[in-house]
Amino acid sequence: MELRQLKYLLTAVECGSLGKAAAQLGMATSALSQQISRLESELSTRLLVRGASGVTPTEAGAVFCGHATLALRHLDAAVASAQGARLSGVVSLGLAPTTSSVLALPLIEAMARRYPAIRLQLVEGMSGHLENMLKARQIDLAILFNSESVSFAGSEAIPLLEESLFLIGCPPETLEGNTSPQELSAVRLAEVASLPLILPSRGHGLRASLDRSFATAKTSPNIVMEIDSLAVIMDAVAAGLGYTIQPGAALTRTTMKGLAVRAIADSGAYRTNLLASLPDHELSPAALALRAQLRKVVGRLVRGGKWFGATLHEE
């Protein structure tokens, strides 16, 4: 006996006609009649009286339909309860400031539409801090920038995208640039190594990526300040205190007036974004739903050109 056969029988009785019931169910009349006949054969009793004017339930059919209706109602209630449990609760996500500037609002809006019963907690912080919070089980998921960061037992890491890196600062004569990020001229790390650079401290994803890139270019950067706040870094750069190297997302909340933006030409100068999470068995259904929704939103933003300098990871 199959659940669909119960639904077929109840629809036929409700419509009083196999033809009308078949049309409502979107199937052929012969297929509907065959399914009901199979149900009658399994029960070894006639459930419907078929006539020229339509169908009516037999005495056994009427009793069976009553129980079938109650069974389907209980099933619907069970499904609703399961869905309600799965799609509610609290889930926490850590985002770096650059990532948050592009992703946070679209993700909040998407979750509110798709899962209104889930309460989303967003934590904004430098990637090193988020890594520590994830390992301490203080957050469920985070977007991190180093595969080495996701190192605790059973943890999951899904590559999301790669971001190109840009030199940002007030242009000296030797590095006159454009104020529009749409008209970038590239520059190599060897050319900017002597500039006064303002970067995050060691232990953060972007800094780790840059250290590797400078090492590959066989040059050492002139770091004059280490600041673990994107907003303060950009304020210092705008004040003419130095330059920074950031992904394009850093420009989302920053005025471009008076600043030059130059793409870094070195092939290894990029930042990989990883969606890191606790082990699957530790994630609630709400966290699993957030993880899936986040990937959809990221894909939509990148394909729509709303994540400057980003390309989706090729699986």
Side-chain angles (χ1 to χ4, degrees):
M1 186 184 302
E2 299 178 10
L3 290 174
R4 61 175 181 166
Q5 292 174 326
L6 303 185
K7 295 178 181 179
Y8 293 162
L9 174 65
L10 293 176
T11 302
V13 171
E14 179 183 354
C15 293
S17 163
L18 291 180
K20 291 179 181 179
Q24 183 173 315
L25 293 167
M27 59 191 303
T29 303
S30 58
L32 174 61
S33 179
Q34 186 179 50
Q35 288 294 331
I36 293 177
S37 295
R38 287 180 179 176
L39 179 60
E40 290 176 322
S41 296
E42 184 171 349
L43 296 174
S44 299
T45 187
R46 178 76 60 185
L47 299 175
L48 293 181
V49 176
R50 296 163 171 81
S53 59
V55 294
T56 57
T58 63
E59 183 178 351
V63 173
F64 182 82
C65 284
H67 288 287
T69 299
L70 186 59
L72 292 177
R73 283 178 56 194
H74 286 167
L75 177 62
D76 289 341
V79 170
S81 296
Q83 288 179 334
R86 182 175 71 245
L87 303 180
S88 63
V90 180
V91 59
S92 54
L93 169 69
L95 299 176
T98 48
T99 310
S100 177
S101 65
V102 178
L103 178 60
L105 185 57
L107 179 61
I108 290 170
E109 292 173 339
M111 288 296 292
R113 288 192 302 268
R114 183 68 178 86
Y115 303 110
I118 292 178
R119 181 153 58 91
L120 179 61
Q121 294 179 340
L122 285 183
V123 179
E124 186 176 273
M126 301 298 280
S127 60
H129 299 317
L130 298 177
E131 173 192 347
N132 291 332
M133 292 183 70
L134 189 64
K135 288 181 178 179
R137 270 61 178 177
Q138 294 173 331
I139 55 177
D140 299 303
L141 305 99
I143 293 183
L144 303 177
F145 308 120
N146 281 321
S147 58
E148 295 87 352
S149 298
V150 193
S151 57
F152 54 96
S155 57
E156 302 287 340
I158 303 170
L160 285 176
L161 53 87
E162 280 76 42
E163 293 180 280
S164 300
L165 299 180
F166 302 89
L167 175 71
I168 305 172
C170 299
E173 293 181 0
T174 56
L175 282 173
E176 288 188 2
N178 305 294
T179 57
S180 169
Q182 305 302 325
E183 302 175 356
L184 303 178
S185 54
V187 63
R188 301 193 70 85
L189 288 174
E191 300 176 64
V192 304
S194 61
L195 294 174
L197 294 175
I198 305 172
L199 300 176
S201 64
R202 283 188 170 89
H204 296 295
L206 177 61
R207 176 63 181 275
S209 297
L210 288 172
D211 286 347
R212 286 194 298 268
S213 296
F214 275 111
T216 301
K218 294 180 170 53
T219 186
S220 298
N222 175 30
I223 301 173
V224 297
M225 277 182 269
E226 293 181 323
I227 301 175
D228 290 345
S229 165
L230 176 64
V232 177
I233 287 176
M234 300 310 293
D235 286 345
V237 169
L241 300 178
Y243 297 78
T244 191
I245 300 175
Q246 298 286 338
L251 305 173
T252 303
R253 295 176 179 171
T254 303
T255 175
M256 295 300 300
K257 187 176 181 180
L259 294 180
V261 179
R262 307 286 297 275
I264 302 296
D266 300 63
S267 59
Y270 62 88
R271 181 173 76 172
T272 299
N273 288 236
L274 299 166
L275 176 54
S277 69
L278 298 178
D280 275 3
H281 70 271
E282 295 186 28
L283 292 178
S284 67
L288 294 172
L290 171 63
R291 188 169 67 180
Q293 191 66 25
L294 187 149
R295 297 185 70 182
K296 292 180 182 178
V297 173
V298 166
R300 186 169 68 247
L301 290 172
V302 175
R303 294 188 188 96
K306 296 182 179 180
W307 196 315
F308 179 60
T311 56
L312 290 173
H313 178 79
E314 296 182 3
E315 298 183 358

